[in-house]
Amino acid sequence: MSLALSLARGAVTSPFKRPGRPGATLPAGRLRLPAAPAAPGRLAAYRAICGFPATGPLPVTYPHVLAFPLAMRLMTRRDFPLPVTGLVHTWIEITAHRTLRPEDSLELTVYAEELSPHRRGTEVTVVTEARLAGELVWESRSGYLSRHATRTEGPAPVAPPAPLPAVTEWRLPGDLGRRYAAASGDRNPIHLHPLTARLFGFPRAIAHGMWTVARCLAETPDPATLRTVRADFRAPVLLPGTVTYASDGHAFQLRGGKDGERLHLTGTRG
């Protein structure tokens, strides 16, 4: 099933799903894409929009992009308990077990691992794995939150971390969401145009969370050395806009607002 069809199916089925219902279960089994190398044109566009070097190893975030159609197919299934409309990507952890090359034929697998109560609703953990000739070479776990009324108190929000040293400022154009969508295939309407974003409660289009992670990681002196990444999405980045990338070499942040008081993203890399 194409990504466009998955999005359409999700829009149709979402109103009939009731997140938080007792006894909800996740779909069994795993979805797979057969082994294939990255398409050169799309990879080149992704490198350019995220700021990665034009040649060299596969960006550490790119297997997530390759597997995104599988994740969407999973989350728009009729037996997936949460509505995909309004589902918020809240965090991601990536482990690269080795450096990957563009010509590597990766077999991709996606499955839902855990359904957890959250103080703001219900969160699902989605796992993505990449194998090369049967060997697990890359994996990620992502949290997606479906917001709804709940009696779950959960832990109190963690206090914002202290600001890291500012490194550089980025001016983000209004069409960034459309350009990243063309490179990644993620055409969620909240990223594409102010009119479609307003349908979901945003005053303007917002940047893709995975773009913000990738753009920060592209600032690593040698992105090919990255083996572990953890990123938490704190607040959307409105387009157009200006943000500040800050880092101490290990931790990183993306901040906005007049004095950098708005925290959009926090993360660590190793």
Side-chain angles (χ1 to χ4, degrees):
M1 176 181 291
S2 71
L3 185 56
L5 287 176
S6 292
L7 289 170
R9 182 172 68 176
V12 170
T13 59
S14 287
F16 300 98
K17 297 186 177 183
R18 296 292 179 266
R21 62 182 175 82
T25 58
L26 291 168
R30 303 182 178 204
L31 301 180
R32 290 182 172 84
L33 280 177
R42 284 189 63 183
L43 175 57
Y46 179 84
R47 290 183 189 270
I49 193 66
C50 296
F52 288 107
T55 59
L58 204 66
V60 70
T61 49
Y62 201 62
H64 178 91
V65 173
L66 293 174
F68 183 70
L70 276 186
M72 285 302 302
R73 194 187 311 170
L74 170 70
M75 292 188 287
T76 57
R77 284 172 50 161
R78 279 186 291 181
D79 57 350
F80 190 79
L82 305 178
V84 72
T85 301
L87 207 60
V88 179
H89 196 180
T90 50
W91 57 269
I92 186 170
E93 294 178 343
I94 296 173
T95 302
H97 298 290
R98 51 167 287 185
T99 299
L100 299 177
R101 310 294 302 183
E103 61 270 21
D104 288 338
S105 290
L106 299 178
E107 178 189 5
L108 300 167
T109 304
V110 170
Y111 60 95
E113 183 180 62
E114 184 180 6
L115 200 63
S116 307
H118 187 280
R119 62 186 180 84
R120 290 184 176 177
T122 302
E123 188 173 73
V124 62
T125 300
V126 175
V127 180
T128 301
E129 297 175 345
R131 286 178 167 79
L132 184 60
E135 176 191 357
L136 180 65
V137 292
W138 183 98
E139 57 187 312
S140 74
R141 280 168 171 75
S142 285
Y144 294 91
L145 174 65
S146 178
R147 295 179 179 177
H148 59 83
T150 177
R151 295 181 179 179
T152 301
E153 293 186 6
V158 178
L164 296 173
V167 177
T168 187
E169 186 177 86
W170 299 327
R171 295 181 183 274
L172 310 183
D175 66 347
L176 175 63
R178 294 190 290 277
R179 291 165 57 200
Y180 181 81
S184 68
D186 183 353
R187 290 184 168 83
N188 187 322
I190 63 175
H191 305 300
L192 303 181
H193 194 277
L195 291 177
T196 53
R198 288 188 195 113
L199 296 175
F200 297 90
F202 298 99
R204 305 196 300 274
I206 65 173
H208 293 72
M210 285 305 299
W211 178 85
T212 64
V213 175
R215 185 67 189 87
C216 289
L217 296 178
E219 291 292 312
T220 305
D222 186 1
T225 64
L226 291 171
R227 289 294 179 266
T228 60
V229 176
R230 165 76 191 209
D232 292 272
F233 305 106
R234 300 296 193 101
V237 176
L238 296 175
L239 300 173
T242 300
V243 292
T244 298
Y245 166 71
S247 177
D248 63 4
H250 171 63
F252 57 90
Q253 297 171 347
L254 201 62
R255 293 182 171 272
K258 185 176 180 181
D259 298 310
E261 74 280 1
R262 186 166 178 78
L263 185 60
H264 297 292
L265 173 75
T266 61
T268 57
R269 60 192 176 207

